[in-house]
Amino acid sequence: MGKRAAVAVAGLVAAAGAVTAAVYGGYGGESDGDGTDSVESVTVGGGERHVIPSPEAGQRELLLSDLAALDPTVTADEDAAVESARWLCVDIRQGRPEDEVRDAAAQRFRVTWEQSAQVLDAVRGTFC
């Protein structure tokens, strides 16, 4: 790798680190004051509607159980399933039309339109 390429890669890594730190609140050593730093929920923009929620351990297990009951392939990658559920919750909180949210659920989880309603029930019923 040439010197220019190495410098470019180092710059990209530094920029990615700064963005990650800023998003997760750790940039500059700031804390929420309770002595614990958490990345469970990340605020995008402002207000409650823009918080990207994350299920607690028990909620995660219940969510994955509900989704697996619908179709076991949906939870083959548990982390991806939870991440998709988190983004569906954002859509729900932003007040997007139900049909649009169901379309997103069908696409994210690769399920039928009918199953997308059950996916949303699982998301709403566990942590959203």
Side-chain angles (χ1 to χ4, degrees):
M1 177 181 327
K3 185 175 181 179
R4 286 185 183 184
V7 170
V9 169
L12 289 173
V13 169
V19 169
T20 301
V23 167
Y24 290 106
Y27 191 70
E30 295 177 20
S31 172
D32 59 3
D34 68 359
T36 60
D37 290 330
S38 173
V39 294
E40 290 179 1
S41 296
V42 177
T43 302
V44 178
E48 181 66 23
R49 293 178 4 174
H50 300 332
V51 172
I52 303 171
S54 184
E56 296 173 1
Q59 294 170 327
R60 176 187 166 100
E61 291 308 313
L62 182 58
L63 172 68
L64 291 171
S65 174
D66 289 352
L67 292 174
L70 172 66
D71 182 350
T73 62
V74 168
T75 58
D77 183 341
E78 292 180 351
D79 291 336
V82 170
E83 188 67 15
S84 291
R86 292 177 69 206
W87 284 104
L88 284 177
C89 187
V90 170
D91 290 343
I92 292 166
R93 287 186 177 187
Q94 289 179 340
R96 297 194 188 268
E98 185 73 10
D99 287 350
E100 187 177 312
V101 178
R102 282 187 67 182
D103 282 340
Q107 290 175 10
R108 287 182 185 275
F109 288 94
R110 296 182 181 156
V111 296
T112 66
W113 174 256
E114 292 76 21
Q115 291 172 317
S116 69
Q118 294 171 293
V119 168
L120 292 178
D121 287 344
V123 171
R124 287 182 177 120
T126 53
F127 73 100
C128 185

